Amino acid sequence: MGTIVSLISALASGEAMAALQRARMTAILYGLAAIFALCGVGFLIGAAYIWLAARYGPLATSLGFGIGFLVIAGLIVVIHKLTASMRSRRRARRRQADMTAVGITAALALLPALAKSKGGLGAVVAPALAIVAYAIYRENAKPNPPKPGPDGMP
């Protein structure tokens, strides 16, 4: 309740608008800093190219820079693919844990009402056993490996 009151008073006093303006100004300044940083990196790359071209020749330097940038791009893509699959598995585990927690909470919330009903605990025990059995099955079931297609790729 206290946070709602402080939020309403902040809105009434104009503090929220001031915070929004500060955030917008900060975003603009960081954007400008990023642009100037990219320009600086560009000039440093240009200086490295000029220095290496004087030492090894323009063709060899161009090939080296081209290959170097392609290798960096490939590494970025590979690292992203590896981390994306790990993040996906982590999200799936978290989602499964959240769904389990929601199911347990719902079951515990309904337990007193079901215990007082005509069916009694029998109405609670059978679905609970089914859920436990399904959880055990999911834990022990191994995923089937993908089957290769006509071109040999999964």
Side-chain angles (χ1 to χ4, degrees):
M1 182 71 177
T3 57
I4 294 174
V5 171
S6 65
L7 180 63
I8 291 173
S9 67
L11 286 173
S13 68
E15 189 175 321
M17 289 301 291
L20 186 61
Q21 276 189 318
R22 284 192 307 269
R24 185 174 53 187
M25 182 58 76
T26 302
I28 290 170
L29 290 176
Y30 276 129
L32 284 172
I35 289 171
F36 285 118
L38 287 174
C39 287
V41 168
F43 276 104
L44 288 174
I45 290 172
Y49 177 83
I50 292 170
W51 180 62
L52 290 172
R55 186 171 225 162
Y56 299 109
L59 181 62
T61 303
S62 294
L63 288 173
F65 268 67
I67 291 170
F69 282 120
L70 288 175
V71 167
I72 291 171
L75 285 173
I76 290 171
V77 169
V78 167
I79 290 170
H80 174 71
K81 293 269 187 193
L82 292 174
T83 58
S85 64
M86 289 188 308
R87 282 191 308 263
S88 175
R89 285 192 298 268
R90 191 178 311 128
R91 277 193 305 268
R93 282 194 306 266
R94 189 177 310 129
R95 191 171 34 251
Q96 182 67 31
D98 290 346
M99 292 304 291
T100 302
V102 167
I104 290 171
T105 303
L108 289 176
L110 290 175
L111 190 61
L114 290 174
K116 291 179 185 176
S117 71
K118 228 185 236 189
L121 285 179
V124 175
V125 172
L129 286 176
I131 290 172
V132 169
Y134 180 70
I136 292 171
Y137 167 76
R138 292 273 306 204
E139 183 75 24
N140 294 321
K142 293 183 181 176
N144 293 332
K147 296 180 182 175
D151 59 350
M153 299 297 290

